[in-house]
Amino acid sequence: MEINNTPQYKPAFQARNLSRVISKTKQGLETVVDVYSLDSRDKVFINRMSEVIKGHALPEDTLMIGEKDAKTSVKDSLQHVFSPKKRYSDSLLIAIENKKKILGILDCRERGDIDLHTFYMFQDNNRNTGRKALLLQALKNIKRQIDVYAQIQPERMTEKAKKYFRNLGFGKELGDKDLLMSNTKIHDKIDKIQNSAAISVKEFRSTKNVDLVDVLKLDE
């Protein structure tokens, strides 16, 4: 998604680069996807992104987690960052390809365990490197918490999406309607996703907050 067709703003962004996923085609074409976290300090960028989304029809993502209307889900996820109901474990992740294009977002919220509340990609593709980059980062974040599951509410998915996430290791437990991945299994599932996707992953343990306007060169 491009957001460089909006008015210029004085930048005040604090996004933190958490990880980088690199994939290569058989022809040697390389794609680099960086995953950043956003929080309330990124108000200017989030509002800018929200304005662009408001004026555009969003493409269908058949593997989306969220409301039936993608625009409603994405706008809600962006604004939840500022909500008084936001919990400490809630997080908003954004994937950017080759420092040029926003690929998608993943909004995780504490709901007993950690709920993959909204997961939307601007390109509908189950081979999407950005989708796996976001999911891997979310699972790694959840793994660092003790006795916490990753979960998805099935009513927020299509049947195609349910099949996709089951193949990645989410399943049901007795008496629970949600798709779950236990903390004890997350490590193995992360390894499986990384190995099966033929990607290389680099984690950034300590990085400075960055200005996404500079990263995306929005005002050039």
Side-chain angles (χ1 to χ4, degrees):
M1 186 187 76
E2 304 291 346
I3 63 172
N4 58 354
N5 58 343
T6 57
Q8 293 189 12
Y9 294 87
K10 181 179 179 180
F13 309 131
Q14 302 294 324
R16 189 160 64 91
N17 197 181
L18 302 178
S19 59
R20 176 171 295 155
V21 173
I22 300 174
S23 65
K24 287 185 179 181
T25 65
K26 293 180 180 180
Q27 293 74 30
L29 183 63
E30 184 175 273
T31 298
V32 178
V33 176
D34 284 297
V35 176
Y36 296 84
S37 64
L38 295 175
D39 60 33
S40 59
R41 295 172 296 176
D42 301 292
K43 182 177 181 178
V44 176
F45 174 77
I46 290 172
N47 286 344
R48 186 169 180 171
M49 186 173 173
S50 296
E51 282 300 311
V52 174
I53 288 170
K54 185 166 63 175
H56 290 75
L58 297 187
E60 182 184 22
D61 176 11
T62 58
L63 300 179
M64 180 182 76
I65 300 171
E67 302 292 340
K68 290 184 178 180
D69 178 55
K71 184 182 291 190
T72 298
S73 289
V74 173
K75 288 175 62 179
D76 174 69
S77 293
L78 293 173
Q79 293 306 312
H80 181 70
V81 168
F82 313 113
S83 171
K85 296 181 180 180
K86 182 179 182 295
R87 299 187 178 186
Y88 177 79
S89 297
D90 293 357
S91 63
L92 179 62
L93 304 175
I94 185 169
I96 296 178
E97 180 184 67
N98 298 331
K99 296 184 178 180
K100 294 180 180 178
K101 182 167 61 176
I102 298 173
L103 295 180
I105 65 166
L106 174 50
D107 171 15
C108 295
R109 302 187 188 183
E110 182 183 342
R111 195 177 65 93
D113 292 297
I114 303 300
D115 197 40
L116 275 62
H117 185 74
T118 294
F119 194 175
Y120 174 79
M121 305 302 294
F122 295 97
Q123 295 176 325
D124 185 16
N125 184 348
N126 63 356
R127 295 179 178 271
N128 193 319
T129 302
R131 197 186 306 274
K132 290 187 170 63
L134 285 168
L135 179 61
L136 286 168
Q137 185 59 56
L139 292 178
K140 289 173 182 177
N141 291 349
I142 296 168
K143 182 171 69 72
R144 297 188 184 103
Q145 304 184 51
I146 300 174
D147 297 329
V148 175
Y149 282 52
Q151 65 183 20
I152 310 172
Q153 300 171 58
E155 62 269 22
R156 296 178 66 82
M157 292 186 289
T158 64
E159 290 301 319
K160 181 179 179 180
K162 290 176 188 177
K163 181 178 179 181
Y164 174 81
F165 285 100
R166 286 192 186 105
N167 288 338
L168 293 177
F170 285 86
K172 287 187 177 182
E173 295 197 359
L174 186 63
D176 203 304
K177 66 181 181 65
D178 293 344
L179 293 182
L180 304 167
M181 185 184 292
S182 70
N183 194 285
T184 57
K185 295 179 180 179
I186 287 179
H187 179 79
D188 290 340
K189 301 303 181 183
I190 289 172
D191 286 343
K192 182 178 180 181
I193 293 169
Q194 290 183 174
N195 294 336
S196 64
I199 55 179
S200 63
V201 181
K202 180 178 181 180
E203 294 186 64
F204 300 111
R205 295 293 184 184
S206 179
T207 59
K208 294 181 179 180
N209 294 333
V210 298
D211 181 345
L212 283 181
V213 160
D214 289 342
V215 172
L216 292 165
K217 300 180 180 179
L218 298 182
D219 294 328
E220 290 186 6

